[in-house]
Amino acid sequence: MGYNLLKGKRGVIFGALDENSIAWKTALKVKEEGGAFTLTNAPIAMRMGKINDLAAQCGSEVIPADATVEQDLKDLFGRSVEVLGGKLDFVLHSIGMSPNVRKGKDYGDLNYDWFLKTLDISGVSFHKVLQAAEKTDAMNEWGSIVALSYIAAQRTYPDYSDMAQAKALLESIARSYGYRFGQSKKVRVNTISQSPTKTTAGTGITGFDVFFEYARMMSPLGNATAEDCANYIVILFSDLSRMVTMQNLMHDGGFSATGISEELIEKLSK
Ligand SMILES: NC(=O)c1ccc[n+]([C@@H]2O[C@H](COP(=O)([O-])OP(=O)(O)OC[C@H]3O[C@@H](n4cnc5c(N)ncnc54)[C@H](O)[C@@H]3O)[C@@H](O)[C@H]2O)c1
């Protein structure tokens, strides 16, 4: 049952690849809360065809766009405003990919062309999305734009590799663009730092199962699921959070504020 928190609001959701995607769960939640939106992903991800099932469930149009290509983004915002019948109130950037991680490159042997690709896809694309939204004048006043981050932006997780730099960049862009968009249009810009989550991007990291379990043990509430994240995103899209901007919001069951847990002490003292 929804609460109509997003009734009458329009938006764009990036990054729904399959049923496990955080963006997929968010789309379903936003729909339940009365929001209308277009769905988008990189043309290459369309080949899986799953996004069309989600679009059918949500009554959404799918508009392919590579988030690293400025013209794709401008076309996407223009078309979304047209299809939805008015300017936008929310945008979710749920995008991440590192060729170095995907191809198992050691952090001391990175391919720098791929490193730049990681930064472009997972970090700079957020700036491109924000800039395209501003240039096409696609946002309504008091709109909300959210991207997804990970605590590796602040602390080292060796297997997260160059994605750690991309997330640090992403969070920094939220602050800089949040200032600009807040002043010009009262649009808020935030990142959510999410617990490890079993999705295609998440499980692509070496040792994922171990740090998923470690994070669970270290979090008094346990790991936040993709559904939990979708609920939090709904709040950030709603009018209930209208004065929150330029923040990196920890959504991790308490992980980031825990030094050590009793469960871990017990396990390690055996
Ligand atoms: N899964 C986790 O453990 C976890 C934890 C914290 C943060 N995050 C972040 O959440 C976000 C969503 O990831 P997810 O876990 O739902 O995995 P996912 O694999 O389902 O989603 C990643 C999406 O990025 C899209 N993408 C890649 N390159 C693109 C491009 N050039 N243009 C447009 N889209 C592109 C993919 O097609 C895919 O839909 C990412 O930013 C990820 O880093 C994930």
Side-chain angles (χ1 to χ4, degrees):
M1 193 201 74
Y3 304 91
N4 277 332
L5 285 174
L6 304 178
K7 196 168 173 212
K9 293 197 186 291
R10 293 176 281 261
V12 175
I13 296 181
F14 287 79
L17 183 67
D18 58 30
E19 301 85 345
N20 299 319
S21 300
I22 296 168
W24 188 288
K25 309 276 192 210
T26 304
L28 294 176
K29 255 310 159 210
V30 169
K31 169 82 181 155
E32 192 181 314
E33 291 298 333
F37 48 87
T38 56
L39 290 165
T40 182
N41 210 324
I44 195 165
M46 299 286 159
R47 282 199 217 132
M48 290 180 63
K50 285 212 162 181
I51 197 171
N52 294 319
D53 302 343
L54 178 66
Q57 281 183 62
C58 297
S60 296
E61 181 163 319
V62 178
I63 306 170
D66 182 329
T68 64
V69 179
E70 290 169 71
Q71 193 57 49
D72 280 13
L73 294 170
K74 283 190 189 152
D75 294 347
L76 166 70
F77 282 117
R79 177 77 188 140
S80 296
V81 168
E82 201 179 298
V83 171
L84 297 167
K87 287 192 193 180
L88 311 175
D89 305 291
F90 61 86
V91 175
L92 175 65
H93 176 288
S94 186
I95 298 170
M97 210 281 280
S98 159
N100 279 306
V101 168
R102 193 173 269 194
K103 292 175 188 168
K105 276 290 207 179
D106 188 82
Y107 195 65
D109 184 35
L110 290 188
N111 174 312
Y112 288 115
D113 290 334
W114 294 349
F115 194 166
L116 292 176
K117 254 198 142 153
T118 302
L119 296 179
D120 195 18
I121 294 172
S122 312
V124 180
S125 70
F126 191 38
H127 193 285
K128 290 180 180 172
V129 165
L130 289 157
Q131 190 165 290
E134 190 185 3
K135 281 191 174 167
T136 55
D137 194 21
M139 295 301 295
N140 272 325
E141 280 206 348
W142 297 104
S144 172
I145 302 179
V146 172
L148 292 170
S149 195
Y150 184 56
I151 196 170
Q154 288 84 28
R155 296 192 206 156
T156 296
Y157 293 79
D159 290 321
Y160 207 65
S161 190
D162 56 358
M163 277 298 287
Q165 280 73 67
K167 291 304 190 192
L169 177 58
L170 185 85
E171 291 176 12
S172 173
I173 289 168
R175 285 185 291 273
S176 298
Y177 225 111
Y179 178 81
R180 181 185 168 89
F181 235 158
Q183 283 226 314
S184 65
K185 266 252 132 148
K186 303 275 181 261
V187 169
R188 54 204 198 272
V189 183
N190 294 288
T191 51
I192 292 177
S193 188
Q194 164 68 6
S195 292
T197 315
K198 290 181 180 173
T199 62
T200 303
T203 52
I205 310 284
T206 313
F208 176 85
D209 288 342
V210 175
F211 68 76
F212 181 88
E213 186 52 13
Y214 168 71
R216 187 199 62 71
M217 280 196 238
M218 281 281 285
S219 311
L221 300 181
N223 287 326
T225 64
E227 285 87 356
D228 294 322
C229 192
N231 282 327
Y232 196 31
I233 292 166
V234 163
I235 292 172
L236 287 179
F237 285 169
S238 81
D239 294 334
L240 299 179
S241 59
R242 68 204 283 272
M243 297 308 282
V244 180
T245 194
M246 300 160 67
Q247 304 299 313
N248 179 49
L249 302 159
M250 307 313 294
H251 184 252
D252 62 2
F255 175 81
S256 50
T258 303
I260 192 159
S261 66
E262 282 158 338
E263 189 178 348
L264 207 56
I265 291 175
E266 228 169 80
K267 200 176 168 83
L268 293 175
S269 27
K270 275 182 192 154

